[in-house]
Amino acid sequence: MRQNDQVKILLVEDDRSIAESVVDGLTAEGHEVAHAATGAAALAAEGYDMVLLDLGLPDMDGRDVCRQIRQRSSAPIIMLTARTEEFDRVLGLELGADDYVTKPFSFRELAARIRAVGRRTVEQLADSPSADDSNLPQEVGPMLLDRRTRRMHLNGLETQLTAKEFDLLAFLATDIGAVRTRTEILENVWDAHWYGPTKTVDAHVASLRKKLGHSDWIQAVRGVGFRLEPPA
Ligand code: CA
C-alpha cells in the first residue's frame, strides 16, 4: 500500500460496462488498475495491493477465486455482489474477504470502501511490529506468535492459519487470560460493517481450537466472550 493512498488494484469483473466505468473512475483517482474478466485470469495476476472481486464470474465461482487468492496473497479483497445473488457474509469472511459492496453501487460508494479497507490495512501495518523489542515474537506457553511475519509455531512446528484465524489469535493474545467480548472481537478482527453474524467468531474459534490441538486454549466465558490461555 502506497502512502499516498494510491494502490494497485486488481478488478475481477466479467461485466464489461461495469468494468469500464470502475477502471475509468479508479484510474482518474490515480490508482493503477489491472482488469481480469475471468477467475482464471484473476488467479494468474500478480503484483496488486487490493482486489475487487465479482462474485458471479463466467468460469469460476467468485467464492473459490476469493479462497484461492487468499491462499497466495494477503492483499485485501472487496467482494462485488449483486443484490440477487445470495451472498453469505459469514461465508465471505471465512473465505478471507475483507469487505463487500452490493451492486448496483455508485462509484463514490466503492471508492469509500476502498479507502476504508486501505486505511485498515495501513493501520494494521502500522500496528504490526517493526524492529523494536516490543515486536519480537510473543511466547504464549508452547506457542510462538510472530506478528511481523504472521507466523505461528506450536511446540516448535509451524501451524498454518488463515488470515482471519491469525488476526483472531493475535488479538486474543494481546492480553492473555483477559475475556474479550464477541463485539470487541468483531470490531478488532473484522469491521463494524459486518455486524450481526457473531457466529462468525464462534466458527473461527472452533477452527483455531482444532489447529491449536486443545479446546482449552480458547475458553468460552458464557454470555461474555472468549479468553486465550495456554492449557494447564
Ligand atoms: Ca458478473
Side-chain angles (χ1 to χ4, degrees), residues 30 37 47 64 74 78 111 138 142 151 153 157 164 187 212 222 225:
D64 293 327
S74 60
I78 300 178
Q138 181 185 0
R151 290 166 120 173
H153 286 78
L157 291 174
K164 285 300 173 197
E187 272 174 4
L212 289 165
R222 195 180 290 272

Side-chain angles (χ1 to χ4, degrees), residues 13-15 54-58 85 103:
E13 171 63 75
D14 62 309
D15 183 312
D54 179 26
L55 186 61
L57 291 167
E85 284 164 334
K103 292 177 187 175

